[in-house]
């Protein structure tokens, strides 16, 4: 028999403090992720953040949510993002996942969104018949370095024995790319790299549409879901550790000395994202020049961007150091009840980092 247990902020804090979360065969949440969830400025005290499923007294699976809200006609509308869903193989076929999801739908009155899901999770969501695809974001992934030693064995495990050969090929190719990129210099205009959003940036951001305030983003930057460590977490199946994981806040100033662009960058093991970008289209060249410099200096492997205007500019840029690119699409699944609760033709106007996308 399946038994479900819910956790709000206080209950999750007690769960982590007691150490009970680590007493099972697998972790239902990491300690630092739980603390981040508890400190989420948009999470209400009584909202459910985690649901555990027990089958015959044993932990069988869990589902996690990340609360958020819209401001519609001056009123706050609460909803949540599905952030984790896991069922142990020992309990597959017992409809545990369906029970977990239905419980979370019930807790949020159907006001649930999913994105950045795995193929397996997407298949389950579609099977339930309660979601619709809406507001897709078309993006690009740009590649800057040869990384055959990682990519080929990952896709074709039978080639792992050839990894040393791939490493030699990578070294040769990247040496040539280093020569090619030697013309990319440090920008002559002023720029700043910070670990938090400052007051000047906050004021600048207010000129643009954004679902999150500077204060909220600062909280998330201070409370990451991924910690820098060589440790590999084998009991928690979601993002928890990376050798390199950092947020940086970038400010680029125009020739006239005025702030021209602000952006949050997320770097994870050589992979770069741009969760937030604030700039007039005419000023994006400053950001592109800084970005190109940062990519070369930090040996970035790839950049994934759904920033529409930026991507248009990058297509024409003569300094951007890409060697290859491919199209990407981020799809959003909205629960049908959520769609019914929103105004007609409602557009969330999400930036790349909205939802839990900036957290991993």
């Amino acid at each position: 028999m399946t038994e479900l247990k819910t956790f709000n902020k206080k209950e999750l804090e007690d769960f982590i403090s007691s150490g009970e979360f680590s007493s099972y065969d697998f972790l239902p949440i990491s300690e630092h992720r739980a603390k981040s969830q508890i400190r989420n400025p948009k999470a209400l005290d009584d909202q459910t953040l985690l649901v555990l499923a027990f089958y015959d007294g044993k932990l069988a699976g869990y589902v996690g949510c990340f609360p958020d809200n819209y401001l519609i006609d001056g009123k706050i509308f609460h909803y949540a993002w599905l952030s984790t869903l896991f069922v142990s193989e020992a309990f597959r076929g017992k409809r545990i996942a369906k029970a977990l999801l239905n419980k979370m739908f019930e807790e949020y009155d159907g006001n649930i969104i999913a994105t950045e899901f795995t193929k397996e999770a997407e298949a389950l969501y579609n099977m339930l018949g309660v979601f619709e695809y809406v507001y897709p974001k078309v993006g690009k992934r740009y590649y800057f370095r040869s990384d055959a030693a990682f990519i080929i064995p990952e896709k074709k495990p039978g080639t792992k024995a050839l990894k040393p050969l791939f490493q030699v090929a990578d070294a040769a190719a990247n040496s040539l790319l280093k020569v090619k990129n030697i013309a990319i210099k440090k920008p002559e205009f002023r720029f700043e790299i910070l670990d938090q959003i400052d007051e000047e940036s906050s004021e600048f951001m207010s000129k643009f549409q954004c679902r999150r305030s500077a204060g909220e983003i600062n909280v998330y930057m201070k409370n990451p879901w991924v910690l820098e460590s060589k440790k590999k977490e084998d009991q928690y199946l979601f993002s928890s550790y990376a050798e390199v994981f950092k947020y940086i806040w970038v400010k680029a100033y125009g020739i006239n000395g005025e702030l021209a662009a602000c952006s949050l960058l997320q770097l994870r093991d050589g992979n770069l994202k741009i969760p937030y970008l604030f700039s007039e289209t005419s000023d994006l060249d400053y950001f592109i020049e800084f970005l190109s410099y940062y990519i070369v200096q930090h040996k970035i492997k790839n950049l994934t961007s759904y920033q529409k205007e930026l991507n248009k500019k990058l297509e024409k840029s003569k300094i951007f150091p890409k060697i290859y690119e491919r199209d990407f699409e981020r799809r959003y699944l909205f629960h049908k009840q959520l769609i019914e609760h929103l105004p007609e033709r409602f557009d969330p106007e999400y930036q790349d980092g909205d939802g839990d996308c900036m957290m991993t």
Side-chain angles (χ1 to χ4, degrees), residues 13 20 62 65 76 97 105 116 125 132 137 159 161 165 197 225 232 249 255 258-259 267 283 294 322 341 351 354 357:
E13 185 174 22
E20 185 183 348
Y62 56 85
C65 261
I76 295 177
F105 299 158
E116 300 272 294
Y125 299 155
E132 287 188 11
K137 289 177 74 73
T159 65
L165 183 61
I197 303 174
W225 288 6
K232 302 294 182 182
W249 183 255
I255 299 299
E258 293 184 356
L259 192 55
L267 177 60
D283 289 329
Y294 186 86
K322 67 179 180 182
H341 296 159
Q351 278 235 41
D354 286 334
C357 296

Side-chain angles (χ1 to χ4, degrees), residues 208-316:
F208 302 88
Q209 190 279 332
C210 187
R211 290 287 175 194
R212 284 178 174 157
S213 68
E216 289 171 49
I217 296 173
N218 276 340
V219 170
Y220 301 134
M221 291 169 71
K222 288 180 180 177
N223 298 277
W225 288 6
V226 180
L227 299 182
E228 283 195 333
S229 174
K230 291 186 177 181
K231 178 180 179 181
K232 302 294 182 182
E233 183 60 76
D234 57 359
Q235 286 190 296
Y236 186 57
L237 278 298
F238 293 87
S239 297
S240 190
Y241 296 99
E243 289 191 24
V244 175
F245 187 89
K246 61 183 64 178
Y247 297 110
I248 68 165
W249 183 255
V250 178
K251 300 167 67 179
Y253 294 82
I255 299 299
N256 58 7
E258 293 184 356
L259 192 55
C262 286
S263 177
L264 178 66
L265 300 184
Q266 183 212 78
L267 177 60
R268 177 174 176 171
D269 291 341
N271 306 301
L272 192 65
K273 295 181 182 179
I274 309 175
Y276 293 95
L277 174 60
F278 305 93
S279 177
E280 298 292 348
T281 303
S282 58
D283 289 329
L284 280 173
D285 289 334
Y286 294 108
F287 179 70
I288 290 173
E289 188 173 343
F290 167 83
L291 185 62
S292 300
Y293 169 73
Y294 186 86
I295 287 167
V296 172
Q297 287 294 306
H298 292 269
K299 299 180 179 179
I300 303 301
K301 296 177 184 177
N302 63 67
L303 163 68
T304 305
S305 169
Y306 297 94
Q307 302 285 353
K308 186 177 178 181
E309 295 304 318
L310 175 65
N311 290 348
K312 286 181 182 178
K313 285 261 190 178
L314 291 177
E315 285 297 312
K316 300 176 182 178

Side-chain angles (χ1 to χ4, degrees), residues 40-44 47 66-72 75-81 210-212 216 220 346 348 350:
N40 176 5
K42 287 186 174 177
L44 303 179
Q47 285 181 314
F66 187 54
D68 204 342
N69 64 50
Y70 299 126
L71 185 63
I72 303 175
K75 296 181 180 179
I76 295 177
F77 178 89
H78 297 281
Y79 67 98
W81 301 80
C210 187
R211 290 287 175 194
R212 284 178 174 157
E216 289 171 49
Y220 301 134
F346 177 78
Y350 287 133

Side-chain angles (χ1 to χ4, degrees), residues 153-165:
E154 278 285 309
K155 292 187 175 181
K156 298 181 178 180
T159 65
K160 285 185 179 180
L162 299 175
K163 188 172 181 178
L165 183 61

Side-chain angles (χ1 to χ4, degrees), residues 16-70:
I16 296 300
S17 298
S18 70
E20 185 183 348
F21 78 105
S22 62
S23 65
Y24 303 109
D25 293 336
F26 55 91
L27 292 178
I29 195 167
S30 67
E31 183 174 358
H32 51 276
R33 186 164 182 158
K35 290 178 178 177
S36 179
Q37 287 271 47
I38 292 164
R39 292 163 185 163
N40 176 5
K42 287 186 174 177
L44 303 179
D45 289 344
D46 60 347
Q47 285 181 314
T48 294
L49 305 180
L50 181 69
V51 180
L52 303 188
F54 295 89
Y55 193 87
D56 289 342
K58 293 184 178 181
L59 182 64
Y62 56 85
V63 63
C65 261
F66 187 54
D68 204 342
N69 64 50
Y70 299 126

